[in-house]
Amino acid sequence: MNRTTRLNPRLTALTVAALAVPALASPAVAAPKPLVDLRGADVGTYSPDAAGTAHLAGSVTGDPFDGTYVATLAADDGSLPAPGTCEPATGTLDVTSPKRTLSLEAIGEVCGEFTDATYVVTHRFVGRYVVTDATSRRLRGTDGWISLVLATEGRATVEAFDS
């Protein structure tokens, strides 16, 4: 058999692989846009009450709308944990704009953080939320991830994502 008519097994395998790659590759399918994707627009504030609940306030930006918020963070035992310890807690987040509202309730864990000259976070709550009320019915009952962060000098921020 003449060399030009005999197929090289390696060349054949490479050719088949090169032809298969475009067939296997398909255009990326974009994931649906999250219904809730909120982040603190600036540094908010917080203050504790006599019962040990932290009350947060500030503004958020993102989806489903930008607005102002009020939130609460309460450890199950009535006091925020010491640095290096964590405990069960609940949180709420209420966002409002001139024509829309959104209310979330969350359960999770709050952890006390060690602070120093450069790390100012004193407590971090991470949990799962459920939208309990919203101007838009399609948001009601959706769930996701939430974070409420307290820092030195009464500073705070929030974040919620439809995961």
Side-chain angles (χ1 to χ4, degrees):
M1 185 183 269
N2 139 356
R3 282 191 96 126
T4 59
T5 59
R6 190 172 26 159
L7 294 175
N8 180 332
R10 286 187 214 146
L11 181 58
T12 303
L14 286 172
T15 303
V16 169
L19 293 172
V21 169
L24 295 175
S26 63
V29 177
K33 184 178 175 182
L35 296 175
V36 175
D37 185 4
L38 296 170
R39 292 175 186 10
D42 52 19
V43 177
T45 62
Y46 86 93
S47 60
D49 65 17
T53 299
H55 296 270
L56 295 74
S59 59
V60 290
T61 186
D63 293 317
F65 57 89
D66 299 345
T68 59
Y69 73 84
V70 293
T72 61
L73 170 58
D76 285 2
D77 72 357
S79 64
L80 293 173
T85 61
C86 300
E87 60 188 72
T90 58
T92 64
L93 175 64
D94 295 308
V95 181
T96 59
S97 75
K99 295 184 179 184
R100 297 187 266 183
T101 62
L102 175 68
S103 296
L104 313 175
E105 291 185 7
I107 57 171
E109 186 175 69
V110 61
C111 295
E113 302 282 338
F114 290 97
T115 62
D116 62 27
T118 59
Y119 189 74
V120 297
V121 172
T122 60
H123 295 89
R124 181 179 309 273
F125 170 81
V126 175
R128 298 289 301 170
Y129 74 80
V130 173
V131 176
T132 56
D133 194 23
T135 307
S136 171
R137 282 189 295 225
R138 73 184 178 106
L139 293 172
R140 294 180 196 152
T142 62
D143 62 355
W145 173 90
I146 188 169
S147 173
L148 305 173
V149 177
L150 308 180
T152 59
E153 300 175 4
R155 296 174 289 184
T157 193
V158 301
E159 187 173 4
F161 184 76
D162 168 10
S163 53

